[in-house]
Amino acid sequence: MFYLSKKYLLLPAVILCIDASYAADDPYTLRTVTTYSSAINDRFDAYLQNPSSSTFISGEDIDDQHAKNIQEILRGIPGITSDSYGDGDGIKIKIRGIDNQRYYGEQPGVAIVIDGVPIFERTGKVNIDLDNIESIRVVKGGASYLYGEDALAGAVIITTKGAKAKNDITLDYEKGSFGYNKELLSANFSQSILSGRFQYSKRETDGYHYLSDRDSESYSLNFNLNLSDNSRLKFNYEGIDLFRDGNGYVKGITQAKDDPKAKNATRGYTRNTDTDLKRFNLTYSYDFSDTGSLSLIGYQFKDETSYWSAPVRFDGLGKPVPNSSYDAYANITNYEQTQRGVKLEIKESFGNLALMGGLDFRDDQFEDITTAKQDYKHSPSPFAPVITQGTVTSKGERTERTKAAYTELKYALTDFTTLTGNYRFDHISLNDEDKLTFAKGDSNFDISSWRLGIDQSLTDRTSVYAGVSTGFRTPTLSQLSTNNSVDPEHTRNYEIGVRSEQPILGWNTSINGSIFHMRRKDFITDVVERDPSGARDTKYDNIGDVVSQGVELALSTDIKNDLSFDLAYTYLDSYFKKYDDFYLALGNSRGSEVSSHNQLINPNSQVFFKHYDNKNNQVPRTPKHSANFRTHWHLYKDFYLTAEADYKSSSYADEISQEKIKQRTLLNITANYKTNLRVFGRTDSQINAFLKIENATNKQYYSSVYGSQDSAGINGIYDGVYNSEDLSIIVDPGRTWSAGLTVRF
């Protein structure tokens, strides 16, 4: 059993006391229930009778936020945290404190699903054209019962804009801080049984940080074909060309203060990233009865990326390379992945019983080749080998094939009580070939995931729900290559929640509150290990367990007296339940090892691994308290202001709970003006103008902080000490502005 403090139970008790007028003896007739869950189509009305916490954001709400990245869209959802990697789109989403603990580039345990396609992004970031989002739904808790691998803590389901049954053209232009510029053109057309949509958008920015310019061009094309009154065919295509340079990292708090733009600071781990993304899917839908339907989707997602990585610390002669040598990187990597798959779903209702069944087949292929960008050494030692320019340091091909079947059963026990059960079985086959050594490896995993839940209607305004759900993630082939006994990670999420609509101080208010307890078992990361001869090696292993528990509350009011409000609050207690074997590197982690800190005479060529037991330490970058409050003031019919306060309490930056990230509160202000004017032709055009100010008080804070070991400073020299000067930090740009005009005619 799991333990939750009694104080967590106050939330549902308070909400239930507001509305305790449940009349159990009212006559009723059993209603017809429907399964809303789908791994193909997003059904936002699944909010009702759903025994899991989920949040839906409409396309109109997304457009009104005028966001530059998905972090700005999701920060109003309780339980969501995210790391920002410089200006623009480098965002990694985390849910309920479930996250790998050490590096920027690790998967966050959140499934990203775009139009039914499970997008695998190696570093966990979300690459999508923000102007092409129709809606976002966030499902919290283990969600592998529907979305499969990597849904350890939940899923972000994105539905892109599709063809509309209308004819119009939209033009959009925006300007902003640091050379930000956006241009957009979209058009809808509709004729009889066929409708279509085309969109082109371009974004670019010079970036606040030195060498942080980035740009993107996106193309999308959509068609809807009504084959008959009850069958449809949809085609979606999206292509995105991305370029992002550095992320603005500095090394340590002194550099963060003296050089926040990172002009003379350190070099980030990667630079000069070019990405070409292409995604398409074809969906067939057939309604074979009033309550039954069939959906079939085929898809392909392709990612071709090249980038520089690993700043050179010592050149081919063993001399230290200063961080002012901005182009001194060890590797050039060319990476290509292709995801293909087919899904089939059938659902039907039988009075108070509803069933959904699905099949999911995926074939994911990955290829990469890494070559040395220049001559370099890992250590200044004269005995350290030289890696010469052009040397192929790694080359591999990997495949991951998934065969899965999943189902949902929903049963109306009474007119007030709905039971839900989900089950999914995945057979995952991994194959790997190292093209340099010709070594081959393969692994197979058979994994089950499930959900059980209940929703109880107390009145027509209030219901309570409770559920247990699971999530999983298999080890990657690169992790298995270091240790073939690594087991999959698993999560189990327990949740009790309340949904209600109540008048509060005169405002009609929607309330969703929940308490949760999530256990993550066998999480995987790299460890330092020694063989009997004393030789050192780094491998991946299941090193411990994590507990995340807390309270989430979301409030949203209707408009009254020209005002409305939104509130999202999270209390999160996320800590290591077991983590007894962590080694922190002091000195050059690739240097020769010494057995005590006193023997660390030359940290540039030596290393001492200090042992820690991190049990009960807080998980890094998981603030205990998070709150987002938005006030919408409708001054006139066509004009309204939104003021947003976003708060994060302090947290730790490392696994040993030594270096703290300070609390911060941001104030953001947006002014929107919407009206209809005669601009072109004989009909009115829709006009939307906005001005947005982020961080209006110009508060300086760190948008991302990580720490894991002693690191070389600005001169590329190790000092053998781990402290706040070894943190990898990205300083937020401070106050920024953007303004734009949209015309739809």
Side-chain angles (χ1 to χ4, degrees):
M1 291 297 292
F2 65 93
Y3 170 77
L4 281 174
S5 171
K6 291 181 180 179
K7 63 185 177 182
Y8 294 166
L9 301 176
L10 291 176
L11 175 64
V14 169
I15 296 175
L16 291 177
C17 287
I18 296 175
D19 183 5
S21 57
Y22 171 48
D25 55 352
D26 286 349
Y28 62 87
T29 302
L30 284 179
R31 67 188 185 280
T32 298
V33 296
T34 305
T35 59
Y36 294 113
S37 294
S38 172
I40 295 179
N41 298 308
D42 176 47
R43 296 297 301 268
F44 61 87
D45 47 355
Y47 182 76
L48 300 175
Q49 293 96 45
N50 186 357
S52 300
S53 179
S54 64
T55 302
F56 175 79
I57 307 175
S58 68
E60 182 178 1
D61 289 340
I62 294 170
D63 290 341
D64 286 347
Q65 291 187 53
H66 308 287
K68 295 189 185 71
N69 57 60
I70 201 167
Q71 182 183 52
E72 297 176 22
I73 298 172
L74 299 181
R75 64 190 173 199
I77 300 177
I80 300 290
T81 55
S82 55
D83 290 335
S84 175
Y85 304 94
D87 304 316
D89 52 5
I91 306 298
K92 184 166 75 170
I93 300 167
K94 298 178 288 185
I95 296 178
R96 292 180 173 174
I98 299 299
D99 174 39
N100 276 344
Q101 282 72 44
R102 197 168 301 162
Y103 303 116
Y104 289 95
E106 295 177 310
Q107 289 290 108
V110 177
I112 305 298
V113 182
I114 302 177
D115 291 335
V117 179
I119 301 300
F120 175 79
E121 217 289 345
R122 291 166 303 129
T123 60
K125 300 171 190 171
V126 182
N127 287 317
I128 190 171
D129 179 7
L130 296 179
D131 298 301
N132 195 32
I133 298 178
E134 180 66 33
S135 67
I136 299 176
R137 183 160 60 97
V138 177
V139 177
K140 290 176 282 187
S144 292
Y145 60 86
L146 194 59
Y147 303 105
E149 184 176 8
D150 211 38
L152 282 172
V156 176
I157 299 97
I158 299 173
T159 301
T160 61
K161 294 179 179 178
K164 310 293 184 183
K166 59 182 179 181
N167 296 285
D168 64 17
I169 296 175
T170 300
L171 300 174
D172 187 2
Y173 182 72
E174 295 180 14
K175 291 286 289 185
S177 302
F178 314 118
Y180 173 72
N181 186 79
K182 189 191 90 170
E183 303 164 2
L184 179 144
L185 165 67
S186 69
N188 285 286
F189 70 89
S190 179
Q191 292 183 349
S192 160
I193 63 172
L194 178 67
S195 58
R197 180 176 181 274
F198 168 78
Q199 178 170 294
Y200 166 81
S201 66
K202 180 178 181 179
R203 294 178 185 241
E204 56 189 0
T205 178
D206 297 332
Y208 166 79
H209 304 97
Y210 188 64
L211 296 175
S212 65
D213 57 304
R214 55 193 64 208
D215 59 72
S216 67
E217 280 191 287
S218 303
Y219 307 82
S220 61
L221 186 63
N222 315 93
F223 291 103
N224 285 354
L225 177 62
N226 294 320
L227 301 175
S228 66
D229 291 341
N230 56 356
S231 62
R232 297 160 301 282
L233 194 64
K234 295 183 180 181
F235 173 80
N236 293 328
Y237 170 83
E238 183 177 63
I240 305 177
D241 293 325
L242 296 167
F243 172 79
R244 58 170 74 98
D245 206 341
N247 292 302
Y249 296 110
V250 295
K251 185 61 66 177
I253 59 173
T254 299
Q255 295 178 28
K257 179 181 178 181
D258 296 342
D259 187 19
K261 292 188 176 183
K263 185 174 182 179
N264 300 304
T266 189
R267 292 161 288 163
Y269 187 76
T270 62
R271 258 202 69 196
N272 207 49
T273 301
D274 275 298
T275 302
D276 183 12
L277 305 173
K278 292 182 174 64
R279 177 182 57 82
F280 76 81
N281 56 1
L282 185 65
T283 305
Y284 171 74
S285 302
Y286 173 61
D287 300 327
F288 52 80
S289 71
D290 291 339
T291 56
S293 64
L294 177 148
S295 297
L296 177 66
I297 181 174
Y299 63 84
Q300 177 174 291
F301 173 70
K302 194 160 190 176
D303 176 346
E304 295 177 302
T305 297
S306 65
Y307 58 92
W308 301 348
S309 66
V312 170
R313 303 300 181 191
F314 305 98
D315 64 18
L317 300 176
K319 297 180 180 179
V321 176
N323 281 299
S324 57
S325 299
Y326 301 113
D327 294 339
Y329 277 78
N331 305 318
I332 299 177
T333 297
N334 289 285
Y335 169 85
E336 181 177 320
Q337 73 175 39
T338 304
Q339 297 177 240
R340 298 185 182 94
V342 176
K343 291 182 180 180
L344 170 68
E345 281 185 4
I346 300 176
K347 56 184 65 177
E348 179 60 289
S349 296
F350 307 93
N352 62 333
L353 175 67
L355 295 171
M356 180 272 291
L359 298 174
D360 185 354
F361 301 100
R362 307 180 196 172
D363 187 347
D364 302 338
Q365 299 180 358
F366 311 89
E367 298 181 17
D368 66 83
I369 180 170
T370 299
T371 58
K373 183 176 178 293
Q374 65 174 70
D375 295 354
Y376 68 92
K377 300 175 73 171
H378 290 301
S379 166
S381 168
F383 303 104
V386 178
I387 292 87
T388 58
Q389 181 180 2
T391 300
V392 177
T393 56
S394 71
K395 184 179 182 181
E397 293 183 0
R398 297 170 297 282
T399 61
E400 179 174 338
R401 294 184 173 90
T402 299
K403 299 176 182 178
Y406 55 94
T407 186
E408 175 171 298
L409 181 150
K410 191 178 290 287
Y411 179 68
L413 187 64
T414 72
D415 204 38
F416 307 106
T417 308
T418 304
L419 305 177
T420 302
N422 292 80
Y423 179 80
R424 176 174 171 129
F425 177 80
D426 284 79
H427 174 76
I428 299 174
S429 176
L430 307 177
N431 301 98
D432 182 33
E433 181 177 359
D434 188 321
K435 293 295 185 178
L436 294 183
T437 64
F438 301 104
K440 295 183 179 182
D442 60 81
S443 295
N444 295 284
F445 298 94
D446 292 324
I447 302 179
S448 299
S449 46
W450 51 270
R451 175 181 68 165
L452 293 174
I454 183 172
D455 182 273
Q456 175 71 44
S457 297
L458 302 183
T459 71
D460 57 355
R461 298 182 301 174
T462 303
S463 66
V464 296
Y465 61 92
V468 183
S469 60
T470 64
F472 75 89
R473 175 168 56 200
T474 60
T476 65
L477 284 163
S478 59
Q479 292 169 344
L480 289 167
S481 68
T482 68
N483 180 8
N484 59 14
S485 63
V486 180
D487 294 323
E489 300 182 51
H490 292 274
T491 55
R492 182 171 295 184
N493 181 76
Y494 303 85
E495 186 168 18
I496 302 172
V498 181
R499 302 186 185 97
S500 185
E501 289 195 8
Q502 301 290 337
I504 298 180
L505 301 177
W507 274 270
N508 187 39
T509 306
S510 297
I511 307 170
N512 188 357
S514 63
I515 59 175
F516 65 90
H517 176 100
M518 183 181 293
R519 183 75 178 267
R520 177 187 183 184
K521 302 196 71 174
D522 295 325
F523 78 81
I524 303 169
T525 192
D526 60 333
V527 297
V528 176
E529 191 169 87
R530 297 163 181 80
D531 62 25
S533 68
R536 183 179 81 246
D537 193 14
T538 299
K539 72 172 189 176
Y540 285 87
D541 207 346
N542 304 106
I543 62 170
D545 300 347
V546 172
V547 168
S548 291
Q549 57 187 7
V551 177
E552 296 171 352
L553 175 64
L555 303 177
S556 182
T557 74
D558 291 341
I559 300 173
K560 182 185 177 183
N561 299 327
D562 299 323
L563 288 173
S564 62
F565 308 94
D566 300 303
L567 170 67
Y569 169 76
T570 306
Y571 172 78
L572 175 63
D573 181 21
S574 187
Y575 62 92
F576 297 114
K577 183 74 172 179
K578 176 187 176 184
Y579 192 179
D580 58 3
D581 201 21
F582 172 68
Y583 288 89
L584 186 145
L586 300 175
N588 184 348
S589 60
R590 294 179 178 269
S592 58
E593 185 177 354
V594 297
S595 58
S596 72
H597 194 251
N598 292 334
Q599 296 176 335
L600 191 64
I601 307 301
N602 186 358
N604 253 357
S605 58
Q606 295 176 316
V607 63
F608 169 63
F609 288 98
K610 187 174 182 179
H611 183 265
Y612 287 87
D613 182 351
N614 294 326
K615 181 180 179 180
N616 295 325
N617 285 356
Q618 291 294 305
V619 173
R621 296 166 296 284
T622 55
K624 289 262 187 183
H625 302 277
S626 302
N628 184 276
F629 181 72
R630 298 175 183 176
T631 302
H632 311 281
W633 183 20
H634 298 259
L635 285 82
Y636 304 102
K637 177 183 177 182
D638 301 325
F639 180 73
Y640 69 93
L641 287 171
T642 296
E644 176 187 40
D646 191 71
Y647 169 77
K648 302 289 184 189
S649 65
S650 62
S651 60
Y652 287 101
D654 50 30
E655 291 126 305
I656 65 173
S657 293
Q658 175 178 302
E659 304 302 327
K660 263 201 167 183
I661 305 170
K662 294 181 179 179
Q663 67 178 22
R664 59 100 176 127
T665 302
L666 303 180
L667 177 63
N668 310 308
I669 301 172
T670 304
N672 273 294
Y673 177 74
K674 294 182 179 181
T675 190
N676 294 325
L677 292 175
R678 187 71 54 82
V679 179
F680 302 103
R682 298 180 180 180
T683 60
D684 287 349
S685 299
Q686 299 176 26
I687 308 296
N688 183 7
F690 81 93
L691 172 64
K692 183 175 184 179
I693 301 175
E694 290 268 321
N695 195 359
T697 59
N698 202 28
K699 180 179 179 63
Q700 187 180 68
Y701 72 100
Y702 303 152
S703 57
S704 183
V705 188
Y706 275 65
S708 62
Q709 61 182 16
D710 179 23
S711 301
I714 189 170
N715 295 315
I717 298 175
Y718 296 88
D719 62 6
V721 178
Y722 173 72
N723 54 29
S724 59
E725 298 299 339
D726 294 301
L727 298 176
S728 294
I729 299 171
I730 299 177
V731 181
D732 184 79
R735 184 189 299 117
T736 62
W737 67 272
S738 58
L741 177 67
T742 302
V743 180
R744 181 175 291 113
F745 57 92

